[in-house]
C-alpha cells in the first residue's frame, strides 16, 4: 500500500536489511503534538514529518475544531508554508500544506491556502483579519534543514496554549486511519472551498503596519544604507515591500542568500541567533556598499537580528535583549509624541517573557505605563496581549530574548518583517540626531538603569541527569530546601515554576502558571542579579539566563559586567556542576 514511493522505498530497504534499530527509530513512537504543534525531521515513519503523519495530524485537528466551533464550515481556516523540502522522502512544506488543505476541504471546511511561500506572521494576521477559526503554518523556522514543523494558531490569532494541545493530541490518536481521498490533493484545485489570501494579505498587512510609521519624511530623505539577509528563507520579498510601505529606499539584499533554498548552502545553521557566523556574507556586502546596519531574518521571517558598524570599524551584533530595549524605548516614544491614541497612559501595556531582560519594567516604572511578564514563548505573550486588548488596553510591544518582537497589534506573534522596517525607521530618525543605535542604547540605559544580560546553555542527552540536577537544587541543604547562596552570592528569592513555589509571595504560591512537565527555577540575588535555569522544550539543553539590573545613575558598566561574569561562573560551578554531571558546554 504505497502512497509515497519514496518513504515506502526507505522502509522496504530497512526491512530487507532486517535493520530493527532504525525501524524502531522510525516507528517506535509518534511525534508529540504540543503547544508548538509538531517539530521533527522529515522522513519515513510515525516519528517523522511525512505525508501520512501530516494527514493524521490534520484529521485530528479538524475533528477537534468541529467540536469547538459550530460555525467552522462558515468561517474556515488559513494554511501557509515556507520553502523547506526534503528530496529523499519527497516531503516539502508546500506538499504538507496542500495535504492539510485537502483534509479540511474533504469535510466541507473552507480553506484559505496561500498560493506561495509567506512569512509565518502572515498566518496569525490572516486568522485575525478574516476572523477564521484557526491557522496552520508549515515551517521549522530556523531548525536544521532536514526538519519541518506544523504550527497552530487559535481563533484569537495567537498560538495555542494548553489544554488545546492535549485535546488535539487526543483527537489525532482517534483519527489515524486516512480518510478516503486523503492523498489526492489535486481535488482541492477545483473546489469552491479553496481560497487564496495571498494578494489580499500582501495589500492589507502592509497597510496595517504603516500605522507604526511616524517619520515618512525622514525615511524619504535618509542616506543611511541597510543590508538585509533572509538566510535562504522567505523574507526577501516581504522586507523589500515593507521598506517601500515606509518610503525607505530598499535595503541591499545579500545575493547568495536572498532566494529560498531548502539546503541553506551558505550557513551551518540557518539561525541568526547564532550571531556572526550567519552574518559573514552580510558583513562583506555592507563593507562593499557602505551600509552601516544589517538586518537579518530567520528563514520563516518571524525573528530579527540586527548588527551595526561601530566607529572603531568593528561590527556589533545586538542581543535580543538590547534590541528589545531599543524597540521598547522607540515604540513608547512614538506613542507618546505622535499617537492619535487618546487612551490614558494607565491603559498602555508592554510584555516580555520571564527569561528576557527586565528593561521594559524599568521604562514602565519611570514613564507610568504597565509592564507584565509572561511565561517563556510568544504563545503566552500573544494570548495575554489579546486578553488585554479585549479589555480596551493598548499593547504597544512585546519581546523575548530569542530575537522575537511583536511591534504591531495586527499580529499577535513575533514578526521579523515589521520589526525590520521599524528598526530601519528608528535608525534613520536617530541618524538625523547624529546618534547610532549603540549610542541610543547607552542613552536608554543611562536613563532607566543598566541591564546587563548573559545567557548560555549546556547540552545533556540524559533526562535522568537533568532531573537529578534540578532535584538537587530543591533539596540543597537537606530535604525541601533551596540554596541560600551561590558561591559568594546570597540568594534573596526563589521562584520554582515546576512546583509552583514562590518565596516572594505572601502565600508562597507562584502567580504565573506552573508546569510539572518542564523544569524552571528563578533565583534572585541580594546584589540585584537574577538567574533562571530551565529545560528546553525542543532541544536536549539546560539553558540559563542571567541579568544584573542597576538603578539609574550607576554607570560603571565594566564593574557591572565583571560582577555578572562572576555570578555566572558561580552558577555554573555550584548549580550546574558540569564535571560531575558530564554536561557539554555550548561551543561558540
Amino acid at each position: 500500500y504505497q502512497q509515497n514511493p519514496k518513504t515506502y522505498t526507505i522502509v522496504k530497504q530497512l526491512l530487507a536489511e532486517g535493520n530493527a534499530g532504525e525501524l524502531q527509530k522510525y516507528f517506535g513512537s509518534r511525534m508529540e503534538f504540543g503547544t508548538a504543534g509538531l517539530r521533527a525531521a522529515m522522513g519515513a515513519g510515525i516519528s517523522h514529518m511525512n505525508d501520512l503523519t501530516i494527514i493524521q495530524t490534520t484529521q485530528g485537528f479538524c475533528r477537534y475544531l468541529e467540536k469547538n466551533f459550530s460555525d467552522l464550515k462558515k468561517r474556515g481556516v488559513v494554511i501557509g508554508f515556507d520553502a523547506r523540502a526534503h528530496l529523499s522522502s519527497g516531503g516539502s512544506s508546500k506538499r504538507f500544506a496542500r495535504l492539510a488543505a485537502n483534509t479540511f476541504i474533504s469535510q466541507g471546511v473552507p480553506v484559505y491556502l496561500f498560493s506561495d511561500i509567506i512569512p509565518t506572521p502572515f498566518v496569525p494576521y490572516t486568522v485575525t483579519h478574516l476572523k477564521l477559526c484557526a491557522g496552520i503554518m508549515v515551517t521549522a523556522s530556523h531548525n536544521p534543514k532536514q526538519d519541518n514543523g506544523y504550527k497552530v494558531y487559535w481563533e484569537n490569532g495567537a498560538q495555542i496554549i494548553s489544554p488545546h494541545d492535549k485535546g488535539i493530541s487526543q483527537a489525532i490518536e482517534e483519527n489515524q486511519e486516512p480518510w478516503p481521498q486523503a492523498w489526492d490533493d489535486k481535488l482541492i484545485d477545483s473546489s469552491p472551498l479553496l481560497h487564496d489570501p495571498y494578494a489580499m494579505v500582501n495589500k492589507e498587512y502592509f497597510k496595517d503596519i504603516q500605522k507604526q510609521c511616524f517619520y515618512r519624511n525622514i525615511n524619504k530623505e535618509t542616506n543611511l544604507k541597510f543590508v538585509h539577509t533572509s538566510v535562504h528563507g522567505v523574507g526577501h520579498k516581504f522586507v523589500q515591500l515593507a521598506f517601500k510601505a515606509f518610503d525607505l529606499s530598499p535595503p541591499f539584499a545579500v545575493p547568495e542568500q536572498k532566494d529560498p533554498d531548502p539546503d541553506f548552502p551558505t550557513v551551518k545553521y540557518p539561525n541568526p541567533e547564532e550571531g556572526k557566523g550567519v552574518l559573514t556574507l552580510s558583513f562583506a556586502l555592507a563593507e562593499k556598499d557602505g551600509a552601516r546596519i544589517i538586518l537579518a531574518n530567520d528563514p520563516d521571517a518571524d525573528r530579527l537580528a540586527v548588527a551595526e558598524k561601530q566607529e572603531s570599524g568593528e561590527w556589533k551584533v545586538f542581543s535580543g535583549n538590547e534590541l528589545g530595549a531599543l524597540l521598547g524605548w522607540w515604540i513608547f516614544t512614538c506613542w507618546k509624541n505622535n499617537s492619535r491614541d487618546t487612551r490614558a497612559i494607565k491603559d498602555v501595556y508592554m510584555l516580555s517573557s520571564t527569561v528576557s531582560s527586565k528593561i521594559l519594567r524599568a521604562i514602565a516604572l519611570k514613564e507610568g505605563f504597565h509592564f507584565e511578564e509572561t511565561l517563556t514563548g510568544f504563545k503566552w505573550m500573544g494570548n495575554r496581549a489579546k486578553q488585554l486588548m479585549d479589555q480596551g488596553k493598548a499593547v504597544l510591544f512585546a519581546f523575548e530574548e530569542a530575537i522575537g518582537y511583536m511591534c504591531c497589534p495586527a499580529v499577535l506573534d513575533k514578526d521579523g518583517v515589521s520589526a525590520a522596517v521599524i528598526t530601519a525607521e528608528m535608525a534613520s530618525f536617530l541618524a538625523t540626531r547624529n546618534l547610532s543605535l549603540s549610542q541610543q542604547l547607552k542613552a536608554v540605559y543611562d536613563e532607566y538603569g543598566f541591564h546587563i544580560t548573559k545567557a548560555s546553555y549546556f547540552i545533556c542527552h540524559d533526562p535522568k541527569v537533568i532531573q537529578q540536577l534540578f532535584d538537587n537544587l530543591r533539596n540543597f541543604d537537606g530535604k525541601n530546601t533551596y540554596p541560600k547562596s551561590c558561591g559568594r552570592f546570597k540568594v534573596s528569592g526563589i521562584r520554582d515554576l515546576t512546583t509552583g513555589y514562590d518565596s516572594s509571595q505572601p502565600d508562597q504560591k507562584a502567580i504565573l502558571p506552573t508546569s510539572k512537565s518542564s523544569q524552571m527555577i528563578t533565583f534572585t540575588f541580594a546584589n540585584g542579579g537574577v538567574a533562571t535555569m530551565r529545560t528546553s522544550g525542543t532541544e536536549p539543553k539546560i539553558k540559563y539566563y542571567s541579568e544584573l539590573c542597576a538603578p539609574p545613575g550607576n554607570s560603571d558598566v565594566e564593574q557591572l559586567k565583571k560582577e555578572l561574569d562572576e555570578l555566572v561562573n558561580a552558577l555554573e560551578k555550584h548549580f550546574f556542576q558540569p564535571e560531575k554531571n558530564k554536561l557539554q558546554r555550548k561551543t561558540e
Side-chain angles (χ1 to χ4, degrees):
Y1 182 66
Q2 61 178 97
Q3 293 289 356
N4 179 332
K6 288 187 168 174
T7 46
Y8 178 76
T9 308
I10 296 169
V11 176
K12 216 167 94 177
Q13 180 70 34
L14 291 173
L15 281 168
E17 293 165 6
N19 190 334
E22 280 298 293
L23 285 165
Q24 180 61 32
K25 252 200 265 175
Y26 285 26
F27 292 94
S29 64
R30 175 170 292 280
M31 285 178 292
E32 213 163 299
F33 189 97
T35 49
L38 299 172
R39 189 72 70 87
M42 291 178 272
I46 57 171
S47 63
H48 291 131
M49 302 278 294
N50 54 53
D51 295 0
L52 176 63
T53 50
I54 290 292
I55 288 167
Q56 292 171 326
T57 299
T58 311
Q59 289 180 171
F61 188 33
C62 180
R63 288 288 179 257
Y64 185 74
L65 289 173
E66 286 168 349
K67 221 166 57 189
N68 279 275
F69 297 102
S70 55
D71 53 359
L72 178 65
K73 290 188 171 147
K74 203 169 82 204
R75 288 161 69 192
V77 301
V78 55
I79 302 176
F81 55 91
D82 69 9
R84 287 177 178 258
H86 188 241
L87 279 176
S88 62
S89 71
S92 73
S93 298
K94 184 174 186 172
R95 163 110 184 119
F96 294 161
R98 285 181 60 85
L99 287 168
N102 187 39
T103 302
F104 278 106
I105 284 174
S106 76
Q107 304 303 298
V109 177
V111 172
Y112 295 81
L113 172 68
F114 281 95
S115 52
D116 203 349
I117 55 171
I118 52 152
T120 292
F122 277 24
V123 167
Y125 177 83
T126 308
V127 172
T128 303
H129 195 76
L130 296 178
K131 302 185 170 57
L132 306 179
C133 293
I136 298 166
M137 177 69 192
V138 184
T139 178
S141 191
H142 53 267
N143 271 39
K145 63 182 178 187
Q146 66 274 11
D147 288 0
N148 216 325
Y150 184 106
K151 195 171 183 178
V152 172
Y153 295 85
W154 201 243
E155 67 163 339
N156 62 358
Q159 290 177 53
I160 57 163
I161 48 177
S162 203
H164 293 312
D165 54 332
K166 313 260 187 316
I168 296 166
S169 193
Q170 184 163 351
I172 295 168
E173 292 293 328
E174 292 160 6
N175 290 280
Q176 290 189 7
E177 178 70 35
W179 300 336
Q181 299 174 312
W183 309 85
D184 196 358
D185 65 309
K186 287 187 194 55
L187 292 171
I188 64 176
D189 297 316
S190 54
S191 168
L193 293 171
L194 183 75
H195 310 278
D196 177 12
Y198 192 84
M200 181 275 297
V201 171
N202 266 309
K203 198 171 90 216
E204 297 295 324
Y205 170 87
F206 293 104
K207 225 162 62 192
D208 271 341
I209 64 168
Q210 286 179 54
K211 292 173 191 155
Q212 315 302 317
C213 175
F214 295 104
Y215 293 98
R216 211 170 272 284
N217 292 341
I218 290 177
N219 296 347
K220 281 178 188 160
E221 305 289 305
T222 187
N223 46 21
L224 204 55
K225 292 177 180 165
F226 299 90
V227 157
H228 175 249
T229 177
S230 43
V231 193
H232 304 297
V234 305
H236 170 71
K237 175 184 168 178
F238 304 98
V239 169
Q240 296 279 328
L241 286 169
F243 268 63
K244 201 170 144 191
F246 273 52
D247 275 324
L248 284 153
S249 300
F252 299 108
V254 176
E256 303 91 328
Q257 295 177 333
K258 82 176 178 58
D259 296 322
D261 185 335
D263 279 328
F264 304 111
T266 65
V267 292
K268 191 171 163 197
Y269 301 108
N271 183 2
E273 255 188 294
E274 299 289 336
K276 295 198 164 165
V278 178
L279 299 176
T280 311
L281 291 168
S282 301
F283 294 140
L285 181 65
E287 298 288 356
K288 181 170 113 353
D289 288 334
R292 205 176 77 203
I293 292 176
I294 290 166
L295 303 164
N297 287 122
D298 67 343
D300 67 330
D302 63 352
R303 296 173 190 228
L304 173 74
V306 177
E308 180 184 56
K309 195 172 185 182
Q310 306 300 294
E311 302 277 293
S312 63
E314 294 269 315
W315 284 94
K316 172 179 169 62
V317 182
F318 293 94
S319 72
N321 285 323
E322 290 173 329
L323 193 57
L326 279 167
L327 284 168
W329 162 79
W330 173 250
I331 287 167
F332 177 72
T333 307
C334 290
W335 179 86
K336 197 170 67 176
N337 296 342
N338 306 294
S339 176
R340 285 174 288 286
D341 190 336
T342 52
R343 279 176 286 203
I345 194 154
K346 67 172 175 38
D347 288 330
V348 168
Y349 281 74
M350 288 196 184
L351 311 174
S352 69
S353 68
T354 161
V355 296
S356 304
S357 168
K358 295 292 163 279
I359 183 65
L360 296 184
R361 183 179 63 191
I363 300 175
L365 277 171
K366 195 162 172 182
E367 300 291 349
F369 62 90
H370 289 273
F371 164 74
E372 275 191 19
E373 69 171 9
T374 69
L375 292 178
T376 316
F378 257 89
K379 60 185 179 196
W380 296 106
M381 283 183 274
N383 278 286
R384 181 62 184 141
K386 182 72 171 96
Q387 280 178 344
L388 289 165
M389 285 155 66
D390 288 347
Q391 295 163 20
K393 312 294 185 200
V395 180
L396 297 187
F397 178 58
F399 89 96
E400 63 177 4
E401 51 72 47
I403 63 175
Y405 312 95
M406 179 181 119
C407 304
C408 171
V411 174
L412 295 179
D413 198 9
K414 53 186 180 287
D415 178 355
V417 178
S418 59
V421 73
I422 289 168
T423 300
E425 179 173 86
M426 167 171 63
S428 304
F429 172 87
L430 289 168
T432 65
R433 306 282 197 275
N434 286 325
L435 288 168
S436 66
L437 291 174
S438 311
Q439 287 166 323
Q440 179 55 39
L441 179 65
K442 185 176 178 319
V444 170
Y445 286 147
D446 281 334
E447 182 161 351
Y448 301 107
F450 273 86
H451 286 60
I452 318 267
T453 58
K454 197 170 182 180
S456 191
Y457 58 80
F458 289 95
I459 293 172
C460 178
H461 290 283
D462 184 351
K464 282 199 204 63
V465 171
I466 296 178
Q467 184 65 49
Q468 186 58 53
L469 186 150
F470 280 92
D471 283 347
N472 181 39
L473 290 171
R474 294 187 181 105
N475 303 281
F476 204 75
D477 300 315
K479 199 165 161 46
N480 292 333
T481 58
Y482 292 88
K484 293 181 180 59
S485 64
C486 180
R488 70 175 179 84
F489 298 97
K490 197 168 146 357
V491 174
S492 59
I494 284 153
R495 182 184 63 192
D496 187 334
L497 289 180
T498 307
T499 64
Y501 170 75
D502 186 340
S503 67
S504 71
Q505 293 302 323
D507 61 356
Q508 314 241 305
K509 286 194 169 66
I511 294 169
L512 288 173
T514 53
S515 163
K516 297 202 181 3
S517 60
S518 59
Q519 300 283 356
M520 178 152 142
I521 305 179
T522 300
F523 299 94
T524 308
F525 295 93
N527 68 345
V530 182
T532 295
M533 295 168 59
R534 66 181 274 260
T535 47
S536 161
T538 48
E539 301 158 304
K541 289 175 180 174
I542 313 172
K543 300 181 168 186
Y544 68 80
Y545 308 81
S546 63
E547 177 166 40
L548 202 51
C549 310
N554 179 349
S555 55
D556 189 349
V557 186
E558 289 316 308
Q559 179 51 40
L560 290 168
K561 280 187 176 151
K562 191 167 156 284
E563 177 93 351
L564 185 65
D565 285 344
E566 287 177 21
L567 177 61
V568 164
N569 290 341
L571 189 76
E572 292 192 348
K573 183 177 159 189
H574 299 288
F575 288 4
F576 279 94
Q577 303 179 318
E579 285 72 35
K580 183 188 132 190
N581 290 314
K582 300 192 175 54
L583 305 176
Q584 192 186 327
R585 277 179 190 281
K586 172 187 176 179
T587 47
E588 283 306 335

